[in-house]
PDB file of all heavy atoms in Angstrom:
ATOM      1  N   ILE M 172     -31.994   8.047 -39.619  1.00  0.00           N
ATOM      2  CA  ILE M 172     -32.158   9.047 -38.465  1.00  0.00           C
ATOM      3  C   ILE M 172     -30.914   9.200 -37.793  1.00  0.00           C
ATOM      4  O   ILE M 172     -30.399  10.310 -37.356  1.00  0.00           O
ATOM      5  CB  ILE M 172     -33.201   8.461 -37.587  1.00  0.00           C
ATOM      6  CG1 ILE M 172     -34.589   8.331 -38.256  1.00  0.00           C
ATOM      7  CG2 ILE M 172     -33.319   9.273 -36.304  1.00  0.00           C
ATOM      8  CD1 ILE M 172     -35.554   7.627 -37.572  1.00  0.00           C
ATOM      9  N   TYR M 175     -28.498  11.458 -39.627  1.00  0.00           N
ATOM     10  CA  TYR M 175     -28.937  12.777 -39.541  1.00  0.00           C
ATOM     11  C   TYR M 175     -28.494  13.298 -38.100  1.00  0.00           C
ATOM     12  O   TYR M 175     -27.892  14.438 -38.017  1.00  0.00           O
ATOM     13  CB  TYR M 175     -30.415  13.019 -39.746  1.00  0.00           C
ATOM     14  CG  TYR M 175     -31.007  14.328 -39.383  1.00  0.00           C
ATOM     15  CD1 TYR M 175     -30.859  15.265 -40.252  1.00  0.00           C
ATOM     16  CD2 TYR M 175     -31.364  14.623 -37.981  1.00  0.00           C
ATOM     17  CE1 TYR M 175     -31.301  16.648 -39.798  1.00  0.00           C
ATOM     18  CE2 TYR M 175     -31.844  15.830 -37.685  1.00  0.00           C
ATOM     19  CZ  TYR M 175     -31.784  16.849 -38.670  1.00  0.00           C
ATOM     20  OH  TYR M 175     -32.217  18.203 -38.338  1.00  0.00           O
ATOM     21  N   HIS M 176     -28.714  12.567 -37.027  1.00  0.00           N
ATOM     22  CA  HIS M 176     -28.412  12.938 -35.751  1.00  0.00           C
ATOM     23  C   HIS M 176     -27.009  13.203 -35.559  1.00  0.00           C
ATOM     24  O   HIS M 176     -26.540  14.190 -34.925  1.00  0.00           O
ATOM     25  CB  HIS M 176     -28.955  11.909 -34.770  1.00  0.00           C
ATOM     26  CG  HIS M 176     -28.329  12.046 -33.351  1.00  0.00           C
ATOM     27  ND1 HIS M 176     -28.897  13.046 -32.406  1.00  0.00           N
ATOM     28  CD2 HIS M 176     -27.322  11.368 -32.620  1.00  0.00           C
ATOM     29  CE1 HIS M 176     -28.184  12.986 -31.304  1.00  0.00           C
ATOM     30  NE2 HIS M 176     -27.312  12.056 -31.423  1.00  0.00           N
ATOM     31  N   LEU M 229     -28.947  11.207 -25.910  1.00  0.00           N
ATOM     32  CA  LEU M 229     -29.246  12.479 -26.415  1.00  0.00           C
ATOM     33  C   LEU M 229     -30.608  12.419 -27.206  1.00  0.00           C
ATOM     34  O   LEU M 229     -31.409  13.360 -27.170  1.00  0.00           O
ATOM     35  CB  LEU M 229     -28.135  12.997 -27.415  1.00  0.00           C
ATOM     36  CG  LEU M 229     -26.768  13.305 -26.687  1.00  0.00           C
ATOM     37  CD1 LEU M 229     -25.730  13.823 -27.730  1.00  0.00           C
ATOM     38  CD2 LEU M 229     -26.957  14.341 -25.533  1.00  0.00           C
ATOM     39  N   LEU M 230     -30.724  11.421 -28.042  1.00  0.00           N
ATOM     40  CA  LEU M 230     -31.962  11.252 -28.944  1.00  0.00           C
ATOM     41  C   LEU M 230     -33.164  11.211 -27.957  1.00  0.00           C
ATOM     42  O   LEU M 230     -34.199  11.836 -28.181  1.00  0.00           O
ATOM     43  CB  LEU M 230     -31.829  10.068 -29.816  1.00  0.00           C
ATOM     44  CG  LEU M 230     -31.050  10.197 -31.063  1.00  0.00           C
ATOM     45  CD1 LEU M 230     -30.623   8.775 -31.554  1.00  0.00           C
ATOM     46  CD2 LEU M 230     -31.833  10.941 -32.086  1.00  0.00           C
ATOM     47  N   HIS M 231     -33.074  10.461 -26.887  1.00  0.00           N
ATOM     48  CA  HIS M 231     -34.228  10.253 -25.939  1.00  0.00           C
ATOM     49  C   HIS M 231     -34.410  11.601 -25.098  1.00  0.00           C
ATOM     50  O   HIS M 231     -35.516  11.983 -24.982  1.00  0.00           O
ATOM     51  CB  HIS M 231     -33.879   9.075 -25.048  1.00  0.00           C
ATOM     52  CG  HIS M 231     -34.086   7.809 -25.684  1.00  0.00           C
ATOM     53  ND1 HIS M 231     -34.349   6.542 -24.957  1.00  0.00           N
ATOM     54  CD2 HIS M 231     -34.223   7.428 -26.948  1.00  0.00           C
ATOM     55  CE1 HIS M 231     -34.436   5.644 -25.804  1.00  0.00           C
ATOM     56  NE2 HIS M 231     -34.490   6.079 -27.061  1.00  0.00           N
ATOM     57  N   ASP M 232     -33.293  12.305 -24.640  1.00  0.00           N
ATOM     58  CA  ASP M 232     -33.416  13.367 -23.870  1.00  0.00           C
ATOM     59  C   ASP M 232     -34.130  14.511 -24.614  1.00  0.00           C
ATOM     60  O   ASP M 232     -34.902  15.284 -24.205  1.00  0.00           O
ATOM     61  CB  ASP M 232     -32.067  13.865 -23.399  1.00  0.00           C
ATOM     62  CG  ASP M 232     -31.568  12.993 -22.248  1.00  0.00           C
ATOM     63  OD1 ASP M 232     -32.202  12.127 -21.787  1.00  0.00           O
ATOM     64  OD2 ASP M 232     -30.344  13.352 -21.822  1.00  0.00           O
ATOM     65  N   ASP M 233     -33.854  14.631 -25.871  1.00  0.00           N
ATOM     66  CA  ASP M 233     -34.325  15.711 -26.746  1.00  0.00           C
ATOM     67  C   ASP M 233     -35.845  15.537 -26.916  1.00  0.00           C
ATOM     68  O   ASP M 233     -36.657  16.521 -26.866  1.00  0.00           O
ATOM     69  CB  ASP M 233     -33.748  15.587 -28.124  1.00  0.00           C
ATOM     70  CG  ASP M 233     -32.337  16.263 -28.157  1.00  0.00           C
ATOM     71  OD1 ASP M 233     -32.004  16.850 -27.196  1.00  0.00           O
ATOM     72  OD2 ASP M 233     -31.590  16.162 -29.125  1.00  0.00           O
ATOM     73  N   VAL M 234     -36.336  14.241 -26.966  1.00  0.00           N
ATOM     74  CA  VAL M 234     -37.774  13.978 -26.998  1.00  0.00           C
ATOM     75  C   VAL M 234     -38.361  14.327 -25.717  1.00  0.00           C
ATOM     76  O   VAL M 234     -39.450  15.093 -25.659  1.00  0.00           O
ATOM     77  CB  VAL M 234     -38.056  12.573 -27.352  1.00  0.00           C
ATOM     78  CG1 VAL M 234     -39.538  12.261 -27.225  1.00  0.00           C
ATOM     79  CG2 VAL M 234     -37.492  12.026 -28.743  1.00  0.00           C
ATOM     80  N   MET M 235     -37.809  13.919 -24.631  1.00  0.00           N
ATOM     81  CA  MET M 235     -38.523  14.167 -23.249  1.00  0.00           C
ATOM     82  C   MET M 235     -38.475  15.519 -22.871  1.00  0.00           C
ATOM     83  O   MET M 235     -39.232  16.098 -22.236  1.00  0.00           O
ATOM     84  CB  MET M 235     -37.681  13.286 -22.177  1.00  0.00           C
ATOM     85  CG  MET M 235     -38.065  11.758 -22.347  1.00  0.00           C
ATOM     86  SD  MET M 235     -37.349  10.702 -21.056  1.00  0.00           S
ATOM     87  CE  MET M 235     -35.600  10.495 -21.778  1.00  0.00           C
ATOM     88  N   ASP M 236     -37.342  16.230 -23.285  1.00  0.00           N
ATOM     89  CA  ASP M 236     -37.202  17.662 -22.911  1.00  0.00           C
ATOM     90  C   ASP M 236     -37.866  18.558 -23.864  1.00  0.00           C
ATOM     91  O   ASP M 236     -37.860  19.814 -23.688  1.00  0.00           O
ATOM     92  CB  ASP M 236     -35.686  18.015 -22.728  1.00  0.00           C
ATOM     93  CG  ASP M 236     -35.101  17.249 -21.554  1.00  0.00           C
ATOM     94  OD1 ASP M 236     -35.912  16.756 -20.697  1.00  0.00           O
ATOM     95  OD2 ASP M 236     -33.889  17.270 -21.514  1.00  0.00           O
ATOM     96  N   ARG M 237     -38.303  18.006 -25.061  1.00  0.00           N
ATOM     97  CA  ARG M 237     -38.791  18.825 -26.107  1.00  0.00           C
ATOM     98  C   ARG M 237     -37.875  19.833 -26.693  1.00  0.00           C
ATOM     99  O   ARG M 237     -38.259  20.939 -27.093  1.00  0.00           O
ATOM    100  CB  ARG M 237     -40.151  19.523 -25.651  1.00  0.00           C
ATOM    101  CG  ARG M 237     -41.196  18.644 -25.066  1.00  0.00           C
ATOM    102  CD  ARG M 237     -41.336  17.246 -25.750  1.00  0.00           C
ATOM    103  NE  ARG M 237     -42.072  17.386 -27.048  1.00  0.00           N
ATOM    104  CZ  ARG M 237     -42.148  16.364 -27.894  1.00  0.00           C
ATOM    105  NH1 ARG M 237     -41.588  15.143 -27.586  1.00  0.00           N
ATOM    106  NH2 ARG M 237     -42.794  16.500 -29.009  1.00  0.00           N
ATOM    107  N   ASP M 238     -36.477  19.426 -26.636  1.00  0.00           N
ATOM    108  CA  ASP M 238     -35.403  20.405 -27.203  1.00  0.00           C
ATOM    109  C   ASP M 238     -35.678  20.349 -28.702  1.00  0.00           C
ATOM    110  O   ASP M 238     -35.678  19.320 -29.273  1.00  0.00           O
ATOM    111  CB  ASP M 238     -34.141  19.960 -26.724  1.00  0.00           C
ATOM    112  CG  ASP M 238     -33.754  20.336 -25.227  1.00  0.00           C
ATOM    113  OD1 ASP M 238     -34.497  21.186 -24.754  1.00  0.00           O
ATOM    114  OD2 ASP M 238     -33.034  19.687 -24.646  1.00  0.00           O
ATOM    115  N   THR M 239     -35.577  21.577 -29.306  1.00  0.00           N
ATOM    116  CA  THR M 239     -35.852  21.616 -30.771  1.00  0.00           C
ATOM    117  C   THR M 239     -34.569  21.869 -31.501  1.00  0.00           C
ATOM    118  O   THR M 239     -34.470  21.750 -32.711  1.00  0.00           O
ATOM    119  CB  THR M 239     -36.803  22.785 -31.057  1.00  0.00           C
ATOM    120  OG1 THR M 239     -36.244  24.058 -30.584  1.00  0.00           O
ATOM    121  CG2 THR M 239     -38.129  22.577 -30.430  1.00  0.00           C
ATOM    122  N   THR M 240     -33.381  22.139 -30.850  1.00  0.00           N
ATOM    123  CA  THR M 240     -32.091  22.363 -31.542  1.00  0.00           C
ATOM    124  C   THR M 240     -30.944  21.583 -30.849  1.00  0.00           C
ATOM    125  O   THR M 240     -30.953  21.618 -29.708  1.00  0.00           O
ATOM    126  CB  THR M 240     -31.758  23.896 -31.516  1.00  0.00           C
ATOM    127  OG1 THR M 240     -32.856  24.518 -32.108  1.00  0.00           O
ATOM    128  CG2 THR M 240     -30.499  24.098 -32.381  1.00  0.00           C
ATOM    129  N   PRO M 245     -32.103  21.281 -36.309  1.00  0.00           N
ATOM    130  CA  PRO M 245     -33.161  20.740 -35.584  1.00  0.00           C
ATOM    131  C   PRO M 245     -32.975  19.416 -35.054  1.00  0.00           C
ATOM    132  O   PRO M 245     -32.224  18.537 -35.599  1.00  0.00           O
ATOM    133  CB  PRO M 245     -34.253  20.706 -36.733  1.00  0.00           C
ATOM    134  CG  PRO M 245     -33.883  21.861 -37.626  1.00  0.00           C
ATOM    135  CD  PRO M 245     -32.319  21.746 -37.647  1.00  0.00           C
ATOM    136  N   THR M 246     -33.449  19.068 -33.966  1.00  0.00           N
ATOM    137  CA  THR M 246     -33.314  17.741 -33.328  1.00  0.00           C
ATOM    138  C   THR M 246     -34.066  16.699 -34.017  1.00  0.00           C
ATOM    139  O   THR M 246     -34.978  17.063 -34.816  1.00  0.00           O
ATOM    140  CB  THR M 246     -33.839  17.809 -31.863  1.00  0.00           C
ATOM    141  OG1 THR M 246     -35.072  18.376 -31.774  1.00  0.00           O
ATOM    142  CG2 THR M 246     -32.897  18.464 -30.937  1.00  0.00           C
ATOM    143  N   ALA M 247     -33.653  15.429 -33.858  1.00  0.00           N
ATOM    144  CA  ALA M 247     -34.181  14.298 -34.721  1.00  0.00           C
ATOM    145  C   ALA M 247     -35.662  14.151 -34.641  1.00  0.00           C
ATOM    146  O   ALA M 247     -36.315  13.965 -35.534  1.00  0.00           O
ATOM    147  CB  ALA M 247     -33.518  13.066 -34.343  1.00  0.00           C
ATOM    148  N   TRP M 248     -36.207  14.436 -33.414  1.00  0.00           N
ATOM    149  CA  TRP M 248     -37.612  14.150 -33.202  1.00  0.00           C
ATOM    150  C   TRP M 248     -38.506  15.299 -33.922  1.00  0.00           C
ATOM    151  O   TRP M 248     -39.540  14.973 -34.371  1.00  0.00           O
ATOM    152  CB  TRP M 248     -38.054  14.177 -31.756  1.00  0.00           C
ATOM    153  CG  TRP M 248     -37.994  15.483 -30.973  1.00  0.00           C
ATOM    154  CD1 TRP M 248     -36.836  15.948 -30.366  1.00  0.00           C
ATOM    155  CD2 TRP M 248     -38.985  16.401 -30.819  1.00  0.00           C
ATOM    156  NE1 TRP M 248     -37.163  17.254 -29.736  1.00  0.00           N
ATOM    157  CE2 TRP M 248     -38.471  17.521 -30.086  1.00  0.00           C
ATOM    158  CE3 TRP M 248     -40.250  16.423 -31.324  1.00  0.00           C
ATOM    159  CZ2 TRP M 248     -39.278  18.640 -29.707  1.00  0.00           C
ATOM    160  CZ3 TRP M 248     -41.002  17.523 -31.067  1.00  0.00           C
ATOM    161  CH2 TRP M 248     -40.493  18.692 -30.229  1.00  0.00           C
ATOM    162  N   THR M 249     -37.886  16.385 -34.166  1.00  0.00           N
ATOM    163  CA  THR M 249     -38.629  17.551 -34.763  1.00  0.00           C
ATOM    164  C   THR M 249     -38.732  17.217 -36.319  1.00  0.00           C
ATOM    165  O   THR M 249     -39.637  17.729 -36.970  1.00  0.00           O
ATOM    166  CB  THR M 249     -38.004  18.818 -34.559  1.00  0.00           C
ATOM    167  OG1 THR M 249     -36.795  18.869 -35.112  1.00  0.00           O
ATOM    168  CG2 THR M 249     -37.955  19.163 -33.079  1.00  0.00           C
ATOM    169  N   VAL M 250     -37.791  16.402 -36.740  1.00  0.00           N
ATOM    170  CA  VAL M 250     -37.669  16.087 -38.235  1.00  0.00           C
ATOM    171  C   VAL M 250     -38.422  14.755 -38.550  1.00  0.00           C
ATOM    172  O   VAL M 250     -39.150  14.675 -39.517  1.00  0.00           O
ATOM    173  CB  VAL M 250     -36.180  16.030 -38.696  1.00  0.00           C
ATOM    174  CG1 VAL M 250     -36.128  15.642 -40.093  1.00  0.00           C
ATOM    175  CG2 VAL M 250     -35.470  17.329 -38.380  1.00  0.00           C
ATOM    176  N   PHE M 251     -38.267  13.761 -37.712  1.00  0.00           N
ATOM    177  CA  PHE M 251     -38.682  12.396 -37.982  1.00  0.00           C
ATOM    178  C   PHE M 251     -39.879  11.996 -37.149  1.00  0.00           C
ATOM    179  O   PHE M 251     -40.442  10.906 -37.351  1.00  0.00           O
ATOM    180  CB  PHE M 251     -37.605  11.367 -37.829  1.00  0.00           C
ATOM    181  CG  PHE M 251     -36.384  11.682 -38.727  1.00  0.00           C
ATOM    182  CD1 PHE M 251     -35.317  12.235 -38.264  1.00  0.00           C
ATOM    183  CD2 PHE M 251     -36.492  11.370 -40.132  1.00  0.00           C
ATOM    184  CE1 PHE M 251     -34.202  12.523 -39.137  1.00  0.00           C
ATOM    185  CE2 PHE M 251     -35.351  11.547 -40.926  1.00  0.00           C
ATOM    186  CZ  PHE M 251     -34.287  12.232 -40.464  1.00  0.00           C
ATOM    187  N   GLY M 252     -40.064  12.709 -36.025  1.00  0.00           N
ATOM    188  CA  GLY M 252     -41.162  12.375 -35.093  1.00  0.00           C
ATOM    189  C   GLY M 252     -40.598  11.632 -33.789  1.00  0.00           C
ATOM    190  O   GLY M 252     -39.542  11.103 -33.852  1.00  0.00           O
ATOM    191  N   ASP M 253     -41.452  11.730 -32.806  1.00  0.00           N
ATOM    192  CA  ASP M 253     -41.093  11.172 -31.505  1.00  0.00           C
ATOM    193  C   ASP M 253     -40.657   9.742 -31.557  1.00  0.00           C
ATOM    194  O   ASP M 253     -39.703   9.225 -31.163  1.00  0.00           O
ATOM    195  CB  ASP M 253     -42.125  11.412 -30.455  1.00  0.00           C
ATOM    196  CG  ASP M 253     -42.375  12.810 -29.956  1.00  0.00           C
ATOM    197  OD1 ASP M 253     -41.700  13.710 -30.582  1.00  0.00           O
ATOM    198  OD2 ASP M 253     -43.264  13.077 -29.178  1.00  0.00           O
ATOM    199  N   SER M 254     -41.586   8.875 -32.198  1.00  0.00           N
ATOM    200  CA  SER M 254     -41.406   7.501 -32.091  1.00  0.00           C
ATOM    201  C   SER M 254     -40.141   7.025 -32.848  1.00  0.00           C
ATOM    202  O   SER M 254     -39.371   6.185 -32.298  1.00  0.00           O
ATOM    203  CB  SER M 254     -42.678   6.678 -32.787  1.00  0.00           C
ATOM    204  OG  SER M 254     -43.763   6.962 -32.021  1.00  0.00           O
ATOM    205  N   ASP M 255     -39.940   7.491 -34.003  1.00  0.00           N
ATOM    206  CA  ASP M 255     -38.738   7.113 -34.790  1.00  0.00           C
ATOM    207  C   ASP M 255     -37.499   7.657 -34.191  1.00  0.00           C
ATOM    208  O   ASP M 255     -36.451   6.888 -34.247  1.00  0.00           O
ATOM    209  CB  ASP M 255     -38.778   7.832 -36.260  1.00  0.00           C
ATOM    210  CG  ASP M 255     -39.733   7.031 -37.111  1.00  0.00           C
ATOM    211  OD1 ASP M 255     -40.357   6.049 -36.651  1.00  0.00           O
ATOM    212  OD2 ASP M 255     -40.088   7.474 -38.299  1.00  0.00           O
ATOM    213  N   ALA M 256     -37.508   8.776 -33.499  1.00  0.00           N
ATOM    214  CA  ALA M 256     -36.293   9.307 -32.846  1.00  0.00           C
ATOM    215  C   ALA M 256     -35.937   8.391 -31.576  1.00  0.00           C
ATOM    216  O   ALA M 256     -34.846   7.967 -31.268  1.00  0.00           O
ATOM    217  CB  ALA M 256     -36.625  10.782 -32.364  1.00  0.00           C
ATOM    218  N   ILE M 257     -36.981   7.950 -30.905  1.00  0.00           N
ATOM    219  CA  ILE M 257     -36.841   7.012 -29.790  1.00  0.00           C
ATOM    220  C   ILE M 257     -36.384   5.606 -30.212  1.00  0.00           C
ATOM    221  O   ILE M 257     -35.367   4.991 -29.695  1.00  0.00           O
ATOM    222  CB  ILE M 257     -38.177   6.822 -28.977  1.00  0.00           C
ATOM    223  CG1 ILE M 257     -38.501   8.114 -28.269  1.00  0.00           C
ATOM    224  CG2 ILE M 257     -38.102   5.628 -27.880  1.00  0.00           C
ATOM    225  CD1 ILE M 257     -40.068   8.100 -27.771  1.00  0.00           C
TER     226      ILE M 257
END
Side-chain angles (χ1 to χ4, degrees):
I172 299 167
Y175 172 84
H176 169 75
L229 296 183
L230 280 161
H231 284 196
D232 285 357
D233 286 343
V234 173
M235 288 183 276
D236 296 341
R237 310 315 285 170
D238 287 337
T239 58
T240 306
T246 46
W248 72 268
T249 67
V250 176
F251 302 100
D253 290 3
S254 296
D255 285 355
I257 292 169

